[in-house]
Structures are given as C-alpha cells and as structure tokens.
Amino acid sequence: MKLFKSCLFLLMIGMLCLTSCQKDSFDTTSNEETEVQTEENLVNNAFAQMRTDGDGLEFDCLTILYPFDLVTEDGTLVPITSDGDFEAAFLDSSAIFVDFGYPLTVENEDEVEVSVSSLDELVELFASCIPDDGWNGDEDCIPAFLIDAENSCVELVYPVTLSDHDEVEYVANSEAEFIDLLAAHEWLFFEFPVTLEGEDGQIVVNNADEFFTALYDCDDYTVPCDSIGFGGVACYTLEFPVDLLLTDGSVTTANDEDEFYTALFEGNVEDFVYPITLTDVDGNVLVIGSADELQAAIDDCYDIDWGDFPWVIDLFLFSDAEIGCYAINYPIEIETPNGTVTVNNNQEYVDLLNANDPVQSTIVYPVTITTVDGNVVTLESNEDLVEVIEDCEG
C-alpha cells in the first residue's frame, strides 16, 4: 500500500533530523585514490569474505549450500560437505584453491535456491546484496552495492568512486571492476556525486536523499517510502525495534537503522506493523496505532509556521532560478547579521547567501515579482512568499 505522496518535501524536512555518519568516527590516515586491477585475486577476494554457517558458506546475503566442490590449481576437485571439510581444506598448506566446481546451489536473501554456473555469476549476485550495516544517517554515507537492470530501474554509470572507512578512494571503471572492489573490501561507500541511467536518461545524485529518491522511483520498490528518509519518518525519529509487514504477508523485525534500510532496499516491505513509536523534534513520544494515525502524524509535519521558517530566504531564490515560476524584481534588500545589503541580481543573491547565515538573514519587504504570465505581484511578508512558492510547486 502506497501511503504517502509528498516524498521530496518530507525528505527535505527529514534532513533537519540527520544523525552523523559513523564513517567519520574512524581514524582517517590517507586520502589516496587507488585504481582496481580487474579480475586480479578475484577468487581470493571472494574466499576471504565467506564464513561457514552450518548449511554452507555465507557470502554476504548469499549462502553457498553444501555439498560443493573446490577446484585446486592443478584441476583436482575437493568435495566439501560440511564446515569441517571446508576448514580442513584451507588448513591443508599443499592445496591452492582457484575456484568452485560448478554449478553451485546458492540460497539468496529470500531463502530461494538458485543455480550458479560461474564465479562471475556468483560475485555479481554477491555485489547485488543490499548491505546490512553502514546505514547511519549521513547524507554522504551510503554503503556500496551493485545497482543494475537486474535489481532496479536505474543502473550505475561508470566510472564510480568508492571509499573505505579510512577514506581511501577507489575508482571502478566498469561493472567488473566494481564487483571486484566489493569482493576485495569488507566495507565500501559511494562517493557522491554518482550518475545513474534510467529510461529517461542519466541523472546525477549528489547525496543520500537524492539517492533514496532515485531508487524509490523504481517500480521494484513497494515500500511505504514517500515519507521515509535518513533519521526517521517525515519530521519524526523512528524508534527501534520496529516490525515490518512484507509483501508475502510475513513479518520481519528491524532492530536498528541498518536492518531497517536493508529491508527497504530489498524492496519487499509493504507497511509497518502497528503500533510503532515516533519521537518529535521536541522529544515528545507518539505511539502510532494504525496507518491512518501515521498519516495524521505526517500531516502534522506540514503545520510548520512557514512564515517564520528561516530557509524561506533560500526558497525565494530557488523558485526563481530553479523552478522558473517567477522573476525577482531587483533590487531587493536583505537584512544580514552584518547590516542591510542591497542585492541587484541572482548572482549577488547567491553570493550573499554564501557569505551569511540564512537563519540570521531576512528579506526586507515589500518586494515584487513578475510571474511567467507577466503579472507583477507585491509580497508583503514571508507568508505571502510561501503561498507563491507553494503555487509554483503545484
């Protein structure tokens, strides 16, 4: 069920509640850029990320099920039927393993068994796994995974730059290099901007919100996503754990942001299982018992006194320069912490915003605008301006 229809607006509000990315909590020792060597050590990289789990080898969201064969450097097949067999094989110092014997039976994140006929197929499945950690709420902190026609309506456009926890950067010039990088490193993050290609051409995403929006626009995602961004739902913080209703009727529990965003990007979330708990910006706790109550709470996020909203000074210029709904009739005056400044054109407006804190700057009214149909409109207050901007955005 598609619950909400105002994704971009509410994601903008959600940005006010962002938490800091854990990526920044790691020691940063270098900022060098490393080119990946395609195919080199791909087998070793893959083996290094696998863990035994009783039923087979865990490879991120995949499990390579027993039994299977390992292939040695001289072509010998070594049968593996258990964790003990696998561990013993790698303790044998005389054996150098170069691949699996194919086909392999692999269980995916939906617990569906699929047949894999080559190492390339295996690592491509691995690269498409939605990361189950690293979703920490920072607009430049998106854990990397393969985005292609198999799992999305958009595809990555290469080259793509990735970085690790130490902020070392790596460039993948092709899908093969991208997959190899993911196999070689336990944690990599997208470095923005990232270019995606869809049916309507290429789009450049510059941060997490734009990334979410691009993927949410895909038909593959049935989640109640329109009001979800980093930090919670609309202008609220979502309290964990939270139960999620999946499209097959089952229920899964997300214990933290990592598990929540992993579930969302797997594309199987239908709705929340109520009640859920939200916290507003003043620290008040709301217990939401139904979809209707959630919609009402989200509607309350619109009840902001936009006349006092500090970023209205930005929105005034945005609706002129980006939406093109009207033209500002210069000169205008803006009161800044450093005094009143006369602005004569859009570039001077941009320069002023860059040089001053918009929260402490105000438009001096009245000002006039000329609409696209040639009408001159006088604005006497922030409320007048917001009304015009809302009309612009339809």
Side-chain angles (χ1 to χ4, degrees), residues 113-360:
E113 293 186 5
V114 296
S115 181
V116 174
S117 60
S118 69
L119 180 64
D120 286 340
E121 285 186 23
L122 178 63
V123 293
E124 183 167 353
L125 278 176
F126 156 77
S128 299
C129 289
I130 307 301
D132 59 5
D133 201 352
W135 305 94
N136 296 297
D138 189 284
E139 66 178 58
D140 65 353
C141 187
I142 294 288
F145 61 98
L146 182 64
I147 304 170
D148 62 10
E150 295 296 319
N151 62 11
S152 181
C153 67
V154 292
E155 300 182 76
L156 289 170
V157 176
Y158 298 92
V160 173
T161 302
L162 307 174
S163 64
D164 62 19
H165 279 313
D166 294 320
E167 298 191 356
V168 177
E169 293 188 353
Y170 306 84
V171 176
N173 293 295
S174 65
E175 181 175 296
E177 291 187 3
F178 183 88
I179 291 170
D180 192 32
L181 277 171
L182 293 189
H185 300 272
E186 185 174 3
W187 285 114
L188 290 176
F189 299 86
F190 286 113
E191 285 291 315
F192 293 108
V194 173
T195 302
L196 301 172
E197 175 114 29
E199 291 183 358
D200 298 327
Q202 293 188 358
I203 57 173
V204 177
V205 296
N206 296 290
N207 53 50
D209 276 340
E210 293 181 11
F211 178 88
F212 269 71
T213 300
L215 268 65
Y216 283 158
D217 283 344
C218 291
D219 292 337
D220 292 335
Y221 293 94
T222 57
V223 299
C225 66
D226 303 72
S227 299
I228 295 173
F230 275 130
V233 178
C235 57
Y236 305 100
T237 299
L238 178 63
E239 301 299 331
F240 296 100
V242 62
D243 289 335
L244 303 171
L245 176 66
L246 304 184
T247 52
D248 63 3
S250 63
V251 173
T252 188
T253 299
N255 293 293
D256 52 32
E257 279 189 339
D258 288 327
E259 295 181 5
F260 181 56
Y261 292 116
T262 298
L264 289 184
F265 277 110
E266 286 175 350
N268 300 318
V269 177
E270 182 74 18
D271 200 352
F272 293 107
V273 176
Y274 300 94
I276 63 172
T277 302
L278 305 176
T279 303
D280 67 18
V281 293
D282 296 319
N284 300 311
V285 175
L286 291 75
V287 177
I288 305 297
S290 67
D292 288 341
E293 289 183 22
L294 179 59
Q295 184 64 68
I298 290 170
D299 289 343
D300 287 342
C301 288
Y302 287 98
D303 293 336
I304 299 172
D305 185 353
W306 285 100
D308 292 331
F309 192 58
W311 298 98
V312 71
I313 190 170
D314 280 350
L315 297 177
F316 187 30
L317 177 61
F318 170 80
S319 298
D320 177 331
E322 299 295 331
I323 296 177
C325 166
Y326 57 74
I328 300 171
N329 294 330
Y330 293 103
I332 64 171
E333 292 186 334
I334 294 179
E335 186 70 37
T336 76
N338 300 314
T340 303
V341 177
T342 299
V343 176
N344 296 292
N345 53 53
N346 281 359
Q347 185 57 56
E348 289 186 12
Y349 202 149
V350 171
D351 292 342
L352 179 141
L353 293 178
N354 288 336
N356 295 273
D357 184 357
V359 174
Q360 301 181 44

Side-chain angles (χ1 to χ4, degrees), residues 22-41:
Q22 293 301 309
K23 177 180 168 186
D24 293 336
S25 67
F26 288 82
D27 291 335
T28 56
T29 56
S30 62
N31 191 31
E32 28 181 275
E33 187 174 285
T34 303
E35 293 283 345
V36 63
Q37 300 299 313
T38 309
E39 300 299 331
E40 183 177 329
N41 296 323

